[in-house]
Short mmCIF file of all heavy atoms in Angstrom, two decimals:
data_model
loop_
_atom_site.label_atom_id
_atom_site.label_comp_id
_atom_site.label_asym_id
_atom_site.label_seq_id
_atom_site.Cartn_x
_atom_site.Cartn_y
_atom_site.Cartn_z
N PHE A 16 2.38 -18.87 2.55
CA PHE A 16 3.41 -18.16 3.25
C PHE A 16 3.76 -16.87 2.57
O PHE A 16 3.79 -15.80 3.11
CB PHE A 16 4.59 -19.10 3.46
CG PHE A 16 5.70 -18.56 4.31
CD1 PHE A 16 5.52 -17.52 5.24
CD2 PHE A 16 6.97 -19.15 4.25
CE1 PHE A 16 6.57 -17.08 6.05
CE2 PHE A 16 8.01 -18.68 5.06
CZ PHE A 16 7.79 -17.69 5.96
N ALA A 17 4.10 -17.04 1.26
CA ALA A 17 4.43 -15.84 0.46
C ALA A 17 3.30 -14.85 0.34
O ALA A 17 3.51 -13.63 0.45
CB ALA A 17 4.90 -16.29 -0.96
N GLY A 18 2.06 -15.37 0.18
CA GLY A 18 0.92 -14.51 0.08
C GLY A 18 0.67 -13.72 1.31
O GLY A 18 0.43 -12.49 1.25
N LEU A 19 0.77 -14.33 2.48
CA LEU A 19 0.59 -13.61 3.76
C LEU A 19 1.67 -12.55 3.92
O LEU A 19 1.40 -11.47 4.42
CB LEU A 19 0.61 -14.60 4.90
CG LEU A 19 -0.59 -15.50 5.06
CD1 LEU A 19 -0.37 -16.56 6.15
CD2 LEU A 19 -1.84 -14.67 5.40
N ARG A 20 2.90 -12.89 3.55
CA ARG A 20 4.00 -11.92 3.65
C ARG A 20 3.64 -10.64 2.90
O ARG A 20 3.77 -9.51 3.45
CB ARG A 20 5.28 -12.49 3.12
CG ARG A 20 6.40 -11.50 2.99
CD ARG A 20 7.57 -12.01 2.19
NE ARG A 20 8.65 -11.01 2.13
CZ ARG A 20 9.75 -11.22 1.44
NH1 ARG A 20 9.97 -12.33 0.79
NH2 ARG A 20 10.69 -10.25 1.42
N PHE A 21 3.22 -10.78 1.66
CA PHE A 21 2.99 -9.56 0.83
C PHE A 21 1.66 -8.90 1.09
O PHE A 21 1.47 -7.78 0.78
CB PHE A 21 3.19 -9.91 -0.63
CG PHE A 21 4.65 -10.04 -0.98
CD1 PHE A 21 5.21 -11.26 -1.12
CD2 PHE A 21 5.44 -8.92 -1.13
CE1 PHE A 21 6.58 -11.39 -1.39
CE2 PHE A 21 6.79 -9.03 -1.38
CZ PHE A 21 7.36 -10.26 -1.53
N LEU A 22 0.73 -9.66 1.71
CA LEU A 22 -0.49 -9.02 2.21
C LEU A 22 -0.15 -7.99 3.35
O LEU A 22 -0.63 -6.86 3.33
CB LEU A 22 -1.48 -10.08 2.73
CG LEU A 22 -2.80 -9.55 3.30
CD1 LEU A 22 -3.55 -8.73 2.26
CD2 LEU A 22 -3.60 -10.69 3.87
N ILE A 23 0.71 -8.47 4.26
CA ILE A 23 1.12 -7.57 5.34
C ILE A 23 1.90 -6.38 4.77
O ILE A 23 1.64 -5.21 5.11
CB ILE A 23 1.99 -8.37 6.37
CG1 ILE A 23 1.15 -9.44 7.06
CG2 ILE A 23 2.63 -7.44 7.40
CD1 ILE A 23 1.97 -10.43 7.86
N ALA A 24 2.94 -6.66 3.99
CA ALA A 24 3.77 -5.60 3.42
C ALA A 24 2.95 -4.65 2.54
O ALA A 24 3.12 -3.44 2.60
CB ALA A 24 4.89 -6.20 2.61
N GLY A 25 2.02 -5.16 1.74
CA GLY A 25 1.22 -4.37 0.87
C GLY A 25 0.30 -3.40 1.60
O GLY A 25 0.15 -2.22 1.24
N VAL A 26 -0.27 -3.85 2.71
CA VAL A 26 -1.13 -2.97 3.51
C VAL A 26 -0.33 -1.82 4.10
O VAL A 26 -0.76 -0.68 4.08
CB VAL A 26 -1.82 -3.80 4.62
CG1 VAL A 26 -2.51 -2.86 5.63
CG2 VAL A 26 -2.88 -4.74 4.01
N VAL A 27 0.88 -2.14 4.60
CA VAL A 27 1.73 -1.14 5.19
C VAL A 27 2.17 -0.11 4.12
O VAL A 27 2.08 1.15 4.36
CB VAL A 27 2.94 -1.76 5.90
CG1 VAL A 27 3.94 -0.64 6.38
CG2 VAL A 27 2.47 -2.60 7.08
N ILE A 28 2.61 -0.59 2.98
CA ILE A 28 3.09 0.29 1.93
C ILE A 28 1.97 1.16 1.34
O ILE A 28 2.11 2.32 1.01
CB ILE A 28 3.82 -0.48 0.84
CG1 ILE A 28 5.10 -1.14 1.37
CG2 ILE A 28 4.19 0.48 -0.36
CD1 ILE A 28 6.12 -0.21 1.88
N LEU A 29 0.76 0.55 1.27
CA LEU A 29 -0.42 1.31 0.77
C LEU A 29 -0.75 2.44 1.78
O LEU A 29 -1.08 3.56 1.32
CB LEU A 29 -1.64 0.37 0.61
CG LEU A 29 -2.88 1.04 0.04
CD1 LEU A 29 -2.62 1.61 -1.36
CD2 LEU A 29 -4.04 0.03 0.03
N ALA A 30 -0.69 2.17 3.04
CA ALA A 30 -0.92 3.22 4.07
C ALA A 30 0.09 4.34 3.92
O ALA A 30 -0.19 5.52 4.00
CB ALA A 30 -0.92 2.62 5.45
N TYR A 31 1.38 3.93 3.69
CA TYR A 31 2.41 4.89 3.47
C TYR A 31 2.19 5.76 2.23
O TYR A 31 2.39 6.96 2.25
CB TYR A 31 3.76 4.18 3.38
CG TYR A 31 4.98 5.07 3.23
CD1 TYR A 31 5.37 5.94 4.21
CD2 TYR A 31 5.73 5.03 2.04
CE1 TYR A 31 6.49 6.78 4.07
CE2 TYR A 31 6.85 5.81 1.90
CZ TYR A 31 7.20 6.68 2.89
OH TYR A 31 8.34 7.50 2.75
N ALA A 32 1.77 5.10 1.15
CA ALA A 32 1.45 5.85 -0.10
C ALA A 32 0.30 6.79 0.14
O ALA A 32 0.31 7.94 -0.41
CB ALA A 32 1.14 4.83 -1.24
N TRP A 33 -0.66 6.39 0.87
CA TRP A 33 -1.85 7.22 1.14
C TRP A 33 -1.44 8.51 1.93
O TRP A 33 -1.93 9.56 1.67
CB TRP A 33 -2.87 6.42 1.96
CG TRP A 33 -4.13 7.24 2.27
CD1 TRP A 33 -5.07 7.62 1.44
CD2 TRP A 33 -4.50 7.65 3.59
NE1 TRP A 33 -6.05 8.33 2.13
CE2 TRP A 33 -5.74 8.35 3.45
CE3 TRP A 33 -3.92 7.52 4.83
CZ2 TRP A 33 -6.39 8.95 4.54
CZ3 TRP A 33 -4.60 8.10 5.93
CH2 TRP A 33 -5.81 8.79 5.74
N LEU A 34 -0.49 8.31 2.80
CA LEU A 34 -0.02 9.48 3.64
C LEU A 34 0.99 10.38 2.93
O LEU A 34 1.02 11.56 3.20
CB LEU A 34 0.64 8.92 4.93
CG LEU A 34 -0.30 8.27 5.96
CD1 LEU A 34 0.52 7.60 7.02
CD2 LEU A 34 -1.23 9.30 6.52
N THR A 35 1.72 9.84 1.96
CA THR A 35 2.85 10.59 1.46
C THR A 35 2.80 10.93 -0.03
O THR A 35 3.65 11.62 -0.53
CB THR A 35 4.19 9.83 1.69
OG1 THR A 35 4.15 8.53 0.98
CG2 THR A 35 4.41 9.60 3.17
N THR A 36 1.76 10.42 -0.75
CA THR A 36 1.65 10.75 -2.17
C THR A 36 0.27 11.30 -2.51
O THR A 36 -0.68 11.02 -1.75
CB THR A 36 1.90 9.46 -3.03
OG1 THR A 36 0.77 8.59 -2.89
CG2 THR A 36 3.13 8.74 -2.65
N PRO A 37 0.18 12.05 -3.58
CA PRO A 37 -1.14 12.56 -4.00
C PRO A 37 -2.00 11.54 -4.69
O PRO A 37 -3.18 11.78 -4.87
CB PRO A 37 -0.78 13.70 -4.97
CG PRO A 37 0.55 13.26 -5.59
CD PRO A 37 1.26 12.57 -4.45
N ARG A 38 -1.41 10.34 -5.00
CA ARG A 38 -2.16 9.29 -5.71
C ARG A 38 -1.96 7.97 -4.98
O ARG A 38 -0.89 7.37 -5.15
CB ARG A 38 -1.63 9.19 -7.18
CG ARG A 38 -1.74 10.46 -7.97
CD ARG A 38 -3.04 10.61 -8.68
NE ARG A 38 -3.38 9.43 -9.42
CZ ARG A 38 -2.86 9.11 -10.61
NH1 ARG A 38 -1.98 9.88 -11.19
NH2 ARG A 38 -3.22 8.00 -11.25
N TRP A 39 -2.90 7.55 -4.25
CA TRP A 39 -2.71 6.29 -3.45
C TRP A 39 -3.38 5.10 -4.16
O TRP A 39 -3.15 3.94 -3.69
CB TRP A 39 -3.28 6.47 -2.06
CG TRP A 39 -4.77 6.60 -2.03
CD1 TRP A 39 -5.48 7.77 -2.10
CD2 TRP A 39 -5.78 5.59 -1.93
NE1 TRP A 39 -6.84 7.51 -2.02
CE2 TRP A 39 -7.05 6.21 -1.92
CE3 TRP A 39 -5.72 4.16 -1.82
CZ2 TRP A 39 -8.21 5.43 -1.84
CZ3 TRP A 39 -6.89 3.39 -1.74
CH2 TRP A 39 -8.11 4.09 -1.76
N ARG A 40 -4.04 5.29 -5.28
CA ARG A 40 -4.53 4.17 -6.02
C ARG A 40 -4.51 4.43 -7.51
O ARG A 40 -4.55 5.59 -7.96
CB ARG A 40 -5.99 3.79 -5.61
CG ARG A 40 -7.05 4.87 -5.93
CD ARG A 40 -8.43 4.42 -5.45
NE ARG A 40 -9.43 5.47 -5.75
CZ ARG A 40 -10.06 5.54 -6.92
NH1 ARG A 40 -9.80 4.70 -7.84
NH2 ARG A 40 -10.99 6.47 -7.07
N PRO A 41 -4.39 3.34 -8.32
CA PRO A 41 -4.35 3.53 -9.79
C PRO A 41 -5.69 4.00 -10.30
O PRO A 41 -6.74 3.79 -9.72
CB PRO A 41 -4.03 2.15 -10.29
CG PRO A 41 -3.50 1.36 -9.11
CD PRO A 41 -4.16 1.95 -7.93
N ARG A 42 -5.61 4.69 -11.46
CA ARG A 42 -6.82 5.17 -12.16
C ARG A 42 -6.68 4.79 -13.63
O ARG A 42 -5.63 5.03 -14.21
CB ARG A 42 -7.03 6.66 -12.01
CG ARG A 42 -7.19 7.15 -10.58
CD ARG A 42 -7.19 8.66 -10.57
NE ARG A 42 -7.19 9.16 -9.20
CZ ARG A 42 -6.92 10.44 -8.91
NH1 ARG A 42 -6.58 11.27 -9.84
NH2 ARG A 42 -6.93 10.83 -7.64
#
């Protein structure tokens, strides 16, 4: 239950980071 919750939230926040920040993934 907890894992599914944060899978959904993580995908949405990652899309938001991709649209609004210059760095959407760690390096």
Side-chain angles (χ1 to χ4, degrees):
F16 187 19
L19 287 172
R20 171 193 180 179
F21 284 101
L22 178 61
I23 294 171
V26 168
V27 174
I28 296 298
L29 183 61
Y31 181 66
W33 180 70
L34 290 171
T35 61
T36 70
R38 303 271 311 281
W39 66 272
R40 66 180 178 85
R42 298 172 187 165

